[in-house]
Structure formats: C-alpha cells, structure tokens
Amino acid sequence: MLTNEQRIVETRLSEITEVCDDSATYLSKMPAGCRNLLDEVYPGIFVGDRHAAQKTEFLKRLGITHILNAAEGTRARTVNTGKDYYTSSNIEYLGLELLDNESEVISEYLHPAIQFICKALDQGKVLVHCEMGISRSSTFVIAYLMWKEKMNLIEAVKKVREKRDVRPNSGFLKQLVLLEMNLNKLGGCLV
C-alpha cells in the first residue's frame, strides 16, 4: 500500500511525464534536421550539448561567463572539459560528475548548482550543459526556476521546453517532484 507522499509523487510524476512526452508539438515547429547546440531557455541561462561547451570563441561572443558541466568525466556519455579548458577564455567553471541514469542522485548537487547559476547571472550568462543538453543539464535549470523563480515543476518544465526539447529522465523527475514538495512545505525557500 502506498503512503500519501508516495501517491502524491506518483500523481505528480504522471502529470509531468505527459508534459515531457509531448515532443510532437515542439518538434513540429523546428525545420527538419535542425538541432541547436544551445538555446537560451531563460534570460541569461543557456542549455546546450557537448559541442556547444567545446566552442569557447562562440561562447565568448555570446557573453557566456560561466559554465556548469553536468556530465564531467572521461567515461562514455560524459564531457571531458574542465576548469583548465576555459582558463584562457576567462569562463568560470563548475563540473559535476553525473551519469544520465535513473538511479543517479542528482538532488545532492542541486544547491551548489543553483548557487553557481545565481552567481553566474549576477556576473553575466551561464551555459548549463551535459552530453546532449536534454536530461542532466535541464534538471538543474528546472530546479533553479523552481527554487529561485518560484515556479512549480510543470511551469518550470514548460518554460524550458518553450525553447529546447528537454526530457529529464524519470529518476531526475522524481527528485524534482520531491524538491517541489519540499519547497511547498517550506514556503518556497530551502536553506
């Protein structure tokens, strides 16, 4: 038998999965074969893929001052850049070694990632990226919008999806549901 909290989580996951699975509308607006390296999904916040993260001159022209790599590492499906990669570009860097799988505990990295995004927005613009710019990176941007911009989970997902076809994996979505529940309990503010 499910607890009340488990029922709430399951219901919310079902609602958010519907939003994330509605790619047909988003994709129908894009020209055939079009796939952006990065998209500005909220003022000053870009979500992108590994290729965007490796184009330092392009990032400088866009005014990117900070990079959050949500897929740091040398394993498959990670992006092997790092602090030294951006030294000559004067881009501040935060790397998180996360895999895109449902069992990955991304919630323990939310607070430092959100603080980094806040700092970046105070000083310029931020690229939040992972390998493809779909799951890990979008999870952090959605969490930022929930925490700092006081959006609920569905509003935050829809806001990001207005600009980029993102789909956090089901494990990340569950952790975002739990974040939303905690924010609601604490009146929108986590320490």
Side-chain angles (χ1 to χ4, degrees), residues 42-85:
Y42 199 74
I45 302 175
F46 294 77
V47 173
D49 66 14
R50 72 180 307 119
H51 302 292
Q54 295 168 339
K55 298 184 181 311
T56 55
E57 288 303 314
F58 172 67
L59 296 173
K60 284 173 51 178
R61 282 195 306 272
L62 285 175
I64 301 294
T65 57
H66 292 70
I67 291 181
L68 192 167
N69 178 355
E72 186 178 69
T74 57
R75 297 177 283 179
R77 300 181 53 140
T78 61
V79 183
N80 187 20
T81 53
K83 195 175 205 170
D84 293 341
Y85 189 87

Side-chain angles (χ1 to χ4, degrees), residues 157-174:
V157 170
K158 285 182 176 180
K159 176 57 77 180
V160 174
R161 285 178 59 84
E162 286 176 4
K163 305 290 183 177
R164 187 173 184 88
D165 186 25
V166 299
R167 285 177 237 131
N169 74 46
S170 62
F172 295 167
L173 285 174
K174 185 173 185 176

Side-chain angles (χ1 to χ4, degrees), residues 6-75:
Q6 288 170 324
R7 274 194 293 279
I8 292 169
V9 169
E10 292 303 317
T11 300
R12 200 69 174 140
L13 275 174
S14 174
E15 294 168 351
I16 197 66
T17 300
E18 285 180 32
V19 172
C20 288
D21 285 344
D22 184 25
S23 295
T25 303
Y26 174 84
L27 294 174
S28 69
K29 296 177 186 176
M30 294 181 69
C34 179
R35 187 174 156 284
N36 294 328
L37 296 176
L38 75 162
D39 296 287
E40 188 171 20
V41 297
Y42 199 74
I45 302 175
F46 294 77
V47 173
D49 66 14
R50 72 180 307 119
H51 302 292
Q54 295 168 339
K55 298 184 181 311
T56 55
E57 288 303 314
F58 172 67
L59 296 173
K60 284 173 51 178
R61 282 195 306 272
L62 285 175
I64 301 294
T65 57
H66 292 70
I67 291 181
L68 192 167
N69 178 355
E72 186 178 69
T74 57
R75 297 177 283 179

